[in-house]
Amino acid sequence: MDASLSSPSSQRASPSCSIPTLLDRAAEFLDLFAGELGRPVPSARLEQIRREVESRGAYTHTEEELQIGGKVAWRNSTRCIGRLHWQSLEIRDHRDLHRPDEIFQALVEHLRFATNGGRIRSTLSIFPPPDPITGEAPRIWNGKLVRYAGYVGGPGDPEEVEFTQRCQELGWEPPAGIPGHFDLLPVLIQGAGEEKPRWFELPPDEVLEVEIRHPRFAFLEDMAVRWYAVPVITDMILEIGGIEYPCAPFNGWFMGTEIGARNLSDVDRYDLLPRIARGLGMNPEERKTLWRDRAILELNEAVLHSFRDDGVTVVDHHTASRQWDAFVARESRAGRPVHGDWPWLVPPLSGSTSSVFHSELENRVLSPNFYYRDLPWQEGGMAAAEGKEESDSCPFHIRSRRRSRHKD
Ligand code: ARG
């Protein structure tokens, strides 16, 4: 359910078009804002923004603008199948928190609020935007708030190997002294203008986890596999009306396949399918028997069963697909076209049984939205050079460095 990736500037019609200024973007957002509220925005508001931009190079969203902006950013996230629920997003305004320790505290509270004893609430926390003069803002180095460490040539989540190394360089060590498969990673937070991030351990009792077991196959429980309950994305930039919030973690709840058909089964992640096949009495050397297909199905049934049995919100891909249909219908009644990123929307299991498989979608990125950024420890490379031209020609535009992970 990650959101989309092109930068707002990539929507320019051609390179010869002028780059929209911060004020243009603010004006465009105010139009959208008025449309969402169904009432005109007083013209004085744009005037006020103009004066603020002229005096300090940025403007401050009102609480209501932040609320609408955050929700519409989710509605515009072309990679998310769960957008039916966009209006229920809980938005927490933390623009007054700057120090890493206070940001960490707010992240723990975000997690507690979102977890809600298992009845997960979609939540977005918004921390300060960059200082318009220095371009500096606090940042979270993690890709997700909760993740398991990965060790070179050892146990854990291979996707987190590089991040785990960064943590170890800062002095973090595996909780039990030796690397394990499901070691909770610390949270790395860098204060604005600070040279290095600081690391903080999440209190284990704040992190709800589910032990994966199968309603019929006991061997699965013996594999001692677990997954955390709440997926909180911490590495995307929220953009509203030209203001970019690089520290804006958000969460929904899992669709079972994210865990069962990706995190636990991709060969470059936990790669559990061969072991599950063996547990089912199949031989993973023999391709023709469709052992992967049988194993992935049982693993996904186990994930859904375990979450449901523990009372933790999860959605199966068939229900998500029905909810997607409801979203498309509702958007069409509201007169809004639905944009989508097909390869991300089609569930990774039994794709053709979902309606989205059979739809043609345009992948257009509207503002507000969530964007990728560079890995914080790799900044200053190519992306920074690319940003030069844009920031030179538009003194008010604060460019966040973005990373494209997509083939387009
Ligand atoms: N797929 C990502 C993960 O497994 C989480 C992306 C967000 N998912 C969500 N259901 N909101 O870590």
Side-chain angles (χ1 to χ4, degrees), residues 34-45:
E36 296 297 320
L37 293 178
R39 59 171 154 84
V41 174
S43 60
R45 176 61 183 137

Side-chain angles (χ1 to χ4, degrees), residues 191-207:
E194 284 177 13
E195 207 178 300
K196 279 204 300 197
R198 288 181 49 195
W199 62 272
F200 303 86
E201 298 268 19
L202 286 167
D205 55 357
E206 298 286 2
V207 183

Side-chain angles (χ1 to χ4, degrees), residues 17-47:
C17 279
S18 63
I19 298 165
T21 63
L22 179 54
L23 207 57
D24 295 335
R25 289 187 180 164
E28 193 189 320
F29 172 66
L30 285 186
D31 277 348
L32 174 129
F33 179 71
E36 296 297 320
L37 293 178
R39 59 171 154 84
V41 174
S43 60
R45 176 61 183 137
L46 191 57
E47 246 334 285

Side-chain angles (χ1 to χ4, degrees), residues 104-155:
F104 176 70
Q105 211 38 55
L107 291 175
V108 173
E109 280 156 27
H110 175 132
L111 191 59
R112 190 181 308 141
F113 177 85
T115 305
N116 191 28
R119 290 179 51 85
I120 297 173
R121 296 185 272 216
S122 301
T123 307
L124 163 67
S125 293
I126 304 179
F127 293 95
D131 176 296
I133 310 289
T134 62
E136 301 284 359
R139 268 168 338 158
I140 304 170
W141 279 32
N142 308 53
K144 316 278 187 299
L145 186 60
V146 180
R147 268 279 166 128
Y148 303 115
Y151 304 93
V152 190

Side-chain angles (χ1 to χ4, degrees), residues 16 148 285:
S16 59
Y148 303 115
E285 305 303 318

Side-chain angles (χ1 to χ4, degrees), residues 1-2 144 147 228 231 233 251-255 258 263:
M1 283 201 206
D2 278 356
K144 316 278 187 299
R147 268 279 166 128
Y228 54 85
I233 294 181
N251 74 276
W253 50 81
F254 273 114
M255 179 160 85
E258 297 183 81
N263 301 346

Side-chain angles (χ1 to χ4, degrees), residues 17-333:
C17 279
S18 63
I19 298 165
T21 63
L22 179 54
L23 207 57
D24 295 335
R25 289 187 180 164
E28 193 189 320
F29 172 66
L30 285 186
D31 277 348
L32 174 129
F33 179 71
E36 296 297 320
L37 293 178
R39 59 171 154 84
V41 174
S43 60
R45 176 61 183 137
L46 191 57
E47 246 334 285
Q48 191 184 35
I49 292 177
R50 186 195 309 279
R51 280 198 303 274
E52 200 184 337
V53 169
E54 274 167 11
S55 73
R56 63 173 202 97
Y59 69 98
T60 311
H61 286 127
T62 64
E63 185 61 41
E64 212 180 10
E65 288 164 0
L66 213 58
Q67 292 289 330
I68 300 281
K71 289 180 177 148
V72 176
W74 182 8
R75 189 177 79 201
N76 285 338
S77 293
T78 56
R79 292 181 166 186
C80 177
I81 193 173
R83 287 181 270 163
L84 177 65
H85 307 285
W86 66 273
Q87 278 155 314
S88 67
L89 184 64
E90 293 281 348
I91 299 180
R92 299 159 79 91
D93 179 4
H94 289 308
R95 288 175 294 172
D96 56 337
L97 300 186
H98 295 268
R99 289 199 327 264
D101 60 327
E102 53 190 15
I103 291 173
F104 176 70
Q105 211 38 55
L107 291 175
V108 173
E109 280 156 27
H110 175 132
L111 191 59
R112 190 181 308 141
F113 177 85
T115 305
N116 191 28
R119 290 179 51 85
I120 297 173
R121 296 185 272 216
S122 301
T123 307
L124 163 67
S125 293
I126 304 179
F127 293 95
D131 176 296
I133 310 289
T134 62
E136 301 284 359
R139 268 168 338 158
I140 304 170
W141 279 32
N142 308 53
K144 316 278 187 299
L145 186 60
V146 180
R147 268 279 166 128
Y148 303 115
Y151 304 93
V152 190
D157 188 344
E159 194 168 83
E160 296 296 338
V161 164
E162 206 181 335
F163 180 75
T164 304
Q165 283 171 334
R166 297 288 88 80
C167 298
Q168 289 177 311
E169 282 160 18
L170 291 165
W172 176 82
E173 283 170 14
I178 47 156
H181 269 301
F182 298 99
D183 295 346
L184 287 178
L185 281 163
V187 183
L188 267 47
I189 304 171
Q190 186 173 18
E194 284 177 13
E195 207 178 300
K196 279 204 300 197
R198 288 181 49 195
W199 62 272
F200 303 86
E201 298 268 19
L202 286 167
D205 55 357
E206 298 286 2
V207 183
L208 184 60
E209 293 177 277
V210 175
E211 292 176 5
I212 307 301
R213 66 265 184 192
H214 194 284
R216 295 181 305 282
F217 299 112
F219 77 87
L220 237 144
E221 196 168 349
D222 301 337
M223 289 172 66
V225 174
R226 55 205 293 126
W227 206 255
Y228 54 85
V230 189
V232 189
I233 294 181
T234 41
D235 62 353
M236 295 189 86
I237 298 164
L238 165 66
E239 180 271 330
I240 302 173
I243 300 291
E244 301 183 357
Y245 297 93
C247 193
F250 61 94
N251 74 276
W253 50 81
F254 273 114
M255 179 160 85
T257 54
E258 297 183 81
I259 305 168
R262 301 298 313 279
N263 301 346
L264 293 178
S265 58
D266 276 4
V267 288
D268 54 0
R269 298 292 300 286
Y270 278 82
D271 192 20
L272 293 183
L273 298 185
R275 281 175 65 198
I276 294 176
R278 270 185 236 111
L280 292 170
M282 301 188 81
N283 178 3
E285 305 303 318
E286 263 182 75
R287 224 170 297 140
K288 285 189 286 215
T289 60
L290 303 187
W291 62 265
R292 280 193 183 278
D293 308 67
R294 288 193 209 284
I296 204 169
L297 183 61
E298 299 307 344
L299 177 55
N300 277 273
E301 183 177 348
V303 166
L304 291 170
H305 162 77
S306 314
F307 270 66
R308 287 181 186 143
D309 201 38
D310 282 4
V312 177
T313 312
V314 69
V315 65
D316 64 87
H317 48 296
H318 300 291
T319 304
S321 169
R322 297 288 290 272
Q323 292 172 348
W324 166 262
D325 294 339
F327 171 66
V328 172
R330 204 199 275 170
E331 288 302 286
S332 123
R333 284 196 297 277

